[in-house]
Amino acid sequence: MTSRHGGVRWIDGRLLLVSCSGREVGPIEGLIFDLGGTLDADGIPWGDRFRTILEDAGLPGEASRALGPALEAGEQAVLRHPRAAELDLGEMAQLHVSAQLENLGAAESGRAARLRDRFVAETSETLSGRRGLLERLASRMPLAVASNGCGNTGRLLAEAGLESFFHAVVDSSQVGFWKPDPRIFEPALTRLGLPRQRVAVVGDRIDRDVEAALAGGLRAVWVFGDRPLEVDDERLQGVHAALRSVDELDPKVEP
C-alpha cells in the first residue's frame, strides 16, 4: 500500500519499500519492530499517550501545565523498580500513572486506577488486533522486536500472546544498548540470519528507530500515525518508507 508519503508493495511474494519520491528498495526479507508506540499504538509513543490520558482526566489548572516532569517521573519509576524486568502491563501502567499524579499533586483516590485501566485497555486492544497481521508476516519472513525497555519486553509480548511470532526479542536494558545506538539490533540480526540491507526496522521515533536503523545500515520504516506530514517534510529524508499504520505492511493486500 502506497500514498504520497510512500509505503510498501507486495509483489510476487516480495516486500518492497517505496519512498515518498517513488524509489523502491528491496526485497525486504526480515523485519525488526519497535514495541511501544509502534506495535501497540500506531505512531504514538507512551509519553504522548499518557499525556492525553492526563489531559482528559480534568486535572487542576496548575497540574495540567506541568506534564513534562510528571511524565519523566513515571518513566523513572518503572526503570528504577527492583522488579522492572518482571513487570506486566498493568503493573507498569500503575507505576507510571501513580508517579505522574504524585508529581502533579493530583493523586486523588481512585484516579490512578482509572487512568491505569484506560491505558491497559487501549494497549491490550491494539496488541490483540495485531495477531492476524503478525501471523501473516511471520509466514513470509522472520520477525524480531528491539525495544528501549526496562527488561520486560518479552513479558509484554507473551502477555499479549504474540511472542511466538518473533525469532528474537531484544530489550535495551538486557543488552546494554539503547536506540539510537544501532548495536541494539545486532542480537536480532544474528537470529534473523539475513544481510542487514535486507532487513527493515519499523518504528515510530525518528530520533530513535529511524536514526538507529540508518546508522546500522538497515532499512528504515517510519510509522508516523496521525501526525500531519507533507511530502517535503524533512523528517522523510533518509526514510525508506513512511506508514500511517503498521497494518499497511499486511501481505493480504498484495495485488
Side-chain angles (χ1 to χ4, degrees), residues 141-156:
M141 61 180 62
L143 310 177
V145 168
S147 179
N148 281 2
C150 65
N152 69 338
T153 299
R155 171 78 185 261
L156 297 178

Side-chain angles (χ1 to χ4, degrees), residues 56-202:
D56 290 348
L59 301 177
E62 288 301 317
S64 66
R65 291 193 290 272
L67 295 184
L71 295 171
E72 177 63 21
E75 190 161 333
Q76 290 303 313
V78 171
L79 291 173
R80 294 172 180 170
H81 195 276
R83 293 191 306 105
E86 303 169 19
L87 296 172
D88 64 23
L89 179 60
E91 291 170 326
M92 281 188 76
Q94 181 70 43
L95 286 167
H96 271 280
V97 297
S98 294
Q100 291 161 4
L101 292 173
E102 182 177 352
N103 182 275
L104 293 167
E108 176 186 295
S109 176
R111 179 177 277 155
R114 292 193 297 271
L115 302 189
R116 175 203 64 205
D117 290 348
R118 173 178 166 179
F119 186 89
V120 170
E122 292 173 352
T123 304
S124 299
E125 181 180 8
T126 301
L127 287 175
S128 176
R130 300 291 191 208
R131 193 167 290 119
L133 165 69
L134 292 172
E135 183 176 18
R136 289 185 287 274
L137 284 173
S139 72
R140 302 288 187 102
M141 61 180 62
L143 310 177
V145 168
S147 179
N148 281 2
C150 65
N152 69 338
T153 299
R155 171 78 185 261
L156 297 178
L157 291 171
E159 184 180 358
L162 303 179
E163 77 281 10
S164 63
F165 299 123
F166 300 103
H167 281 54
V169 176
V170 183
D171 188 298
S172 59
S173 291
Q174 293 178 330
V175 299
F177 301 112
W178 282 257
K179 291 178 281 188
D181 190 327
R183 287 176 290 181
I184 192 175
F185 300 129
E186 294 306 317
L189 287 169
T190 297
R191 292 295 301 275
L192 295 180
L194 295 168
R196 61 187 63 238
Q197 65 270 22
R198 295 295 178 91
V199 177
V201 173
V202 183

Side-chain angles (χ1 to χ4, degrees), residues 175-248:
V175 299
F177 301 112
W178 282 257
K179 291 178 281 188
D181 190 327
R183 287 176 290 181
I184 192 175
F185 300 129
E186 294 306 317
L189 287 169
T190 297
R191 292 295 301 275
L192 295 180
L194 295 168
R196 61 187 63 238
Q197 65 270 22
R198 295 295 178 91
V199 177
V201 173
V202 183
D204 67 296
R205 293 283 296 267
I206 290 287
D207 59 338
R208 293 182 181 177
D209 305 299
V210 170
E211 287 189 10
L214 297 178
L218 295 91
R219 306 307 185 183
V221 177
W222 180 32
V223 182
F224 64 94
D226 292 330
R227 298 180 179 98
L229 193 66
E230 300 297 330
V231 293
D232 60 351
D233 194 302
E234 63 180 12
R235 291 172 293 182
L236 289 169
Q237 295 178 10
V239 174
H240 295 96
L243 312 177
R244 287 203 176 274
S245 171
V246 172
D247 291 335
E248 293 175 41

